[in-house]
Structure formats: structure tokens, C-alpha cells
Amino acid sequence: MPDPSRPLRKLGFLTIGQFDPAHPAAGHESTLQVIELGERLGFDSVWLRHRHLQFGISSPIAIMAAASQRTSRIELGTAVTPMGWENPLRLAEDLATVDLLAGGRINPGLSVGEPMHYDTVKHDLYPDSAELEDFSYARVDRLARLIAGEPVREFSGKQGFVEEFSNRVEPHSSGLRDRLWYGAASRKSAIWAGANGFNLLSSSVVFPETNQEPAFAQIQQSQIRAYREAAATSAHSHGPARVSQGLVVIPTDSASVKQREKYQRYVDERTPRTRAPQGPKGMLFAPDLIGTSDQIAEQLYAHAGFQEVDEVAFALPFSFAHEDYIQILTDIATTLGPALGWTRA
């Protein structure tokens, strides 16, 4: 167990956003209000889940752009944007634009791999190249190089009397490359992220190595340590290697009786999946942490993964009401955060 006097340096939270398909505007407004509340409570960052063809945030870049005009300090990130859905060149333009609007507060979190349920969308997503698309690490590496300002082409300069062209992605946002994160759930991905100059997002899901004991916290700890070893010797370092942990925490300090009962039902329904590896890859889920802030802090200090980090992005539960998120965020910022040594900005 780490020394509890070692303070948590950065406190963030992660939201999926949600909306009624018949009235989607209200859900998006709720998400923006939650972000505004996070800033008022002193959170260092807010992270948006990225969901396609679901009733959640399908365009976090648009949400971040809107939030950038309603906040002034809180950092805005994605956790994570699946690169299989994205054109790296166009995404680089959008991220740089929003980063400039936000005054350099954007933290893009990324992942690679074939899009979920690819067979159901590939002919609409990539009608002419579905079988040729590269969903490897090369896709996110290309985005990183474009954001860093590497040339896209040789052609640049003025054409005619008005048009002027650049050979790199415009606008260029200096410093954005240093704030790219990779969402890794395996040792292989963690090492790749460290070796290639990305910060590390470690969440509530991990994939164990072959013959590795299926103990979530210890596996997460080993992945973080492997990441740091790779980052320490990387020729692609863009500054200190940062690691953020994203477990689901539900503090109940100020919750009503009805809220506590609802929260407990939610946790009870999700707990069985944490007791054994899931699927052909043996995926492991971390248990949700519920209780008073003191109880949750005690569990975190005993968590091998938490012992490796000094910043977090606690995940908000799915499908709760707006007022529930207000209560949970308020308890995290005013009670749980201080119990972990965090002080508000």
C-alpha cells in the first residue's frame, strides 16, 4: 500500500453522455452542464467516451468544441476515440482546431483495431475499401505525425491571387502532440504506447497475458510498469510519461436512500462479470467501487493499479439521471478527492 500522504495530483472524470433518441438535444445539454459543473468543482479534467450508432456521444469533438466556449480551465479529453472509424488527416484538422479554441486544453485518447460489429457497418463506412483498411497501430501513428506537423505533401505556396496552400495540417496547434493518449488494455499495447511517445490511459478493462494469473489489479500494475519502462528508453518521448487510471467509483456520502439503493442494484448487476475472465481473450473487468468516500479511498490505496498513478479519470456509471451525476461528482470533488490527498485547482 502506498503512503496515503502521497497526494493524488490530478482528478478527472469520464462520462459516456446519454440521450433519449426522441429528444437528443436534452441529453447533449446535460453532458455540457456536467462538464461545467466539473469545472466549478475544481476537477482537472473531463473525458468523453466515444460511441457510434448508440445513444451516447458519437461526436466528442463537437462536444469539446461547445464545452471549450463554456469553460475556461478544465482539460477536455476523449477516452477513447476508436481510430478505425476515423480518417487520420481529417481528425488531425478537427483536433487542432478545437485545441486552439480551447486554449490548449484538449487531450485526445485513441485506440486502434477493427471497428466494433464491423461487418454491419463496413460497406457504409468504407464502401470502396472495407477489405483494405489498415486498423493497426500505424493508423494512430499517422495521426500523431500529422498533428506534430510533419509534411503531408511537397506542394505548398500561393496559387493565383488569393489561394495559399500549406504542406502540413492546418491549423497547427503547438503542444497537442504531447497530449495524445493511448487507451491500452494489454501489455503489448502499453509497451507500444510508451515506445511511441503516447501517454497511457488505463481503464477498468484489461487483457491478461497467456498463463498470467487473472487478478485485475496486479495485471494493470504490470502493464503500467511495462509502459513506463518502454517510455523511459523511447526515442519518441514528448515529455514526462503520464498515466491515468479510470475505475468506476460511486461515492454515496450525500446520496439519498433511493439513490443508494439504485446504485447498489447497478453494482450488483455488474459484479458477476468481474469474477471470471470473459470471452476468448480472457478479458477482465474491474469491480465497481461503491460506498463512502473513506471506504472507496481505502480500497484504492490497496489497489495495485492505483498505487502506480498520481492522476485518475474516475468513470461515471452508465444510464443514471442528471441529478445522480451531480451528487456523485460533488462527492468525488469535495470528499473522495481530498481523502486521496487531492487539492482543487
Side-chain angles (χ1 to χ4, degrees):
M1 184 180 296
D3 180 356
S5 65
R6 179 177 63 85
L8 183 67
R9 187 171 58 86
K10 284 185 177 290
L11 178 65
F13 68 94
L14 168 63
T15 178
I16 193 173
Q18 58 191 11
F19 60 85
D20 179 345
H23 305 284
H28 286 78
E29 175 60 26
S30 171
T31 298
L32 290 169
Q33 290 177 9
V34 163
I35 295 171
E36 290 179 287
L37 173 65
E39 174 154 290
R40 292 197 300 273
L41 289 171
F43 279 91
D44 297 293
S45 63
V46 56
W47 302 77
L48 306 176
R49 290 192 186 273
H50 201 153
R51 289 293 185 263
H52 290 292
L53 302 179
Q54 293 180 261
F55 305 116
I57 299 170
S58 63
S59 182
I61 291 177
I63 298 294
M64 290 192 296
S68 75
Q69 305 306 294
R70 296 166 65 156
T71 60
S72 61
R73 179 196 54 79
I74 194 168
E75 295 185 355
L76 308 165
T78 61
V80 289
T81 293
M83 286 299 298
W85 286 76
E86 305 290 341
N87 178 296
L89 178 56
R90 280 291 300 117
L91 182 60
E93 292 175 329
D94 287 347
L95 289 172
T97 299
V98 177
D99 193 47
L100 292 171
L101 290 173
R105 290 187 282 139
I106 300 303
N107 285 265
L110 311 161
S111 69
V112 298
E114 185 176 278
M116 188 180 297
H117 305 302
Y118 188 50
D119 285 344
T120 68
V121 298
K122 64 183 182 181
H123 296 300
D124 286 292
L125 188 59
Y126 299 113
D128 301 316
S129 60
E131 310 304 329
L132 303 175
E133 292 293 328
D134 181 0
F135 298 125
S136 71
Y137 295 127
R139 202 177 188 94
V140 72
D141 179 64
R142 187 159 73 252
L143 172 74
R145 289 187 284 102
L146 292 170
I147 285 176
E150 292 190 15
V152 177
R153 60 186 180 186
E154 294 183 4
F155 171 68
S156 65
K158 184 169 287 189
Q159 185 177 46
F161 294 103
V162 179
E163 296 279 3
E164 189 164 0
F165 296 88
S166 174
N167 65 353
R168 70 175 186 180
V169 166
E170 302 292 351
H172 176 71
S173 184
S174 178
L176 180 57
R177 172 62 183 89
D178 301 347
R179 286 177 271 115
L180 292 183
W181 297 70
Y182 190 81
S186 69
R187 181 182 178 86
K188 176 185 176 183
S189 287
I191 292 172
W192 182 88
N196 287 275
F198 291 82
N199 301 305
L200 178 68
L201 289 170
S202 187
S203 68
S204 58
V205 176
V206 297
F207 294 99
E209 297 290 290
T210 302
N211 299 323
Q212 191 173 21
E213 183 71 21
F216 179 94
Q218 285 69 33
I219 292 171
Q220 187 173 68
Q221 180 185 63
S222 69
Q223 290 179 0
I224 293 172
R225 289 179 175 178
Y227 163 80
R228 287 212 168 98
E229 289 177 7
T233 58
S234 171
H236 301 281
S237 175
H238 292 271
R242 296 170 60 188
V243 182
S244 179
Q245 184 195 45
L247 302 179
V248 176
V249 302
I250 310 176
T252 59
D253 303 86
S254 66
S256 68
V257 173
K258 287 187 176 180
Q259 284 176 317
R260 291 178 187 177
E261 291 173 348
K262 178 170 69 172
Y263 300 169
Q264 191 62 58
R265 287 195 301 270
Y266 176 86
V267 172
D268 289 345
E269 289 175 357
R270 284 162 51 92
T271 297
R273 69 176 188 166
T274 70
R275 294 176 177 147
Q278 304 291 309
K281 294 184 178 180
M283 179 168 54
L284 294 172
F285 290 96
D288 301 332
L289 304 183
I290 184 171
T292 67
S293 288
D294 285 343
Q295 291 170 335
I296 292 174
E298 183 178 0
Q299 293 177 74
L300 286 170
Y301 278 126
H303 192 287
F306 181 81
Q307 292 170 14
E308 297 296 320
V309 304
D310 64 358
E311 54 185 292
V312 295
F314 289 135
L316 295 178
F318 294 176
S319 304
F320 280 15
H322 184 79
E323 57 269 22
D324 298 331
Y325 294 135
I326 292 175
Q327 176 265 312
I328 292 170
L329 286 175
T330 301
D331 280 359
I332 290 175
T334 61
T335 310
L336 177 58
L340 298 171
W342 173 78
T343 54
R344 62 176 292 165

